[in-house]
Amino acid sequence: MFSCVIANLSFLGDYEVHGYGSLSGALALLGFMAGAAVTEELMYRGLLFRLVERGLGTYLALALSGVVFAAAHLLNENATLLGACAIAVEAGGMLAAAYAATRSLWLPIGVHFGWNFAEAGIFGTEVSGSGDAHGCSTPRPRAPN
C-alpha cells in the first residue's frame, strides 16, 4: 500500500531517491516498528475500540478511536495538524476497520507494521512526524515552503 503512496508522490514530483541509506539501519527499524505496531494496536484497537464499540456502537468506535489515535501522534516531534488528520483517516480508520472486519488484531498489527516499515525502512520517509528515518533509501530533502 505504501508503495502506491510513493508512486503518487513521485508522479507529482514530491519524492525522489537522492541516495541510498543503510541496510543495517533498515534492519534496526524492524524490531522498533514491530514493537510500535503491536503496542499501538493493543491500545487503540484491542482496548479503546472494543470498549467504545461496546458502549456506543461500531461506527462511533471507528471514528473516535481514529481521532484518539491521531491525537496521540500529535505528540511526535515534527507532527502537524494536517498530518494528524491524515493519520485519523488513513491509519486510524483503516486499522480499526480491519479489526472490525476480522475481530482479530493480527491484521491491523501486520498492516500497521508493513506501512511503517515501508515508510521508514524501505523508502526512508518520516513516520508520523517522528523525525528522520534511516532506511534503505534517502529521499531528496523537501524544499522549505
Side-chain angles (χ1 to χ4, degrees), residues 2 6 9-10 13-22 118-127 131-143:
F2 197 77
I6 290 295
L9 290 172
S10 295
D14 290 325
Y15 180 86
E16 178 181 314
V17 175
H18 181 66
Y20 296 100
S22 73
E119 192 171 3
I122 297 171
F123 295 107
T125 59
E126 192 175 304
V127 176
D132 291 336
H134 302 287
C136 293
S137 303
T138 304
R140 70 174 158 80
R142 188 172 188 169

Side-chain angles (χ1 to χ4, degrees), residues 49 52-65 96-97 100-101 103:
F49 177 85
V52 173
E53 183 182 39
R54 187 176 304 148
L56 301 174
T58 302
Y59 293 114
L60 284 174
L62 284 166
L64 186 61
S65 66
R103 295 297 168 186

Side-chain angles (χ1 to χ4, degrees), residues 4 29 143:
C4 293
L29 286 171

Side-chain angles (χ1 to χ4, degrees), residues 40 46 72 101:
E40 289 184 355

Side-chain angles (χ1 to χ4, degrees), residues 19-61:
Y20 296 100
S22 73
L23 182 58
S24 62
L27 292 175
L29 286 171
L30 274 172
F32 178 77
M33 293 301 171
V38 169
T39 302
E40 289 184 355
E41 292 311 310
L42 284 171
M43 287 181 0
Y44 295 105
R45 263 53 75 184
L47 291 175
L48 179 64
F49 177 85
R50 288 176 42 199
L51 292 172
V52 173
E53 183 182 39
R54 187 176 304 148
L56 301 174
T58 302
Y59 293 114
L60 284 174

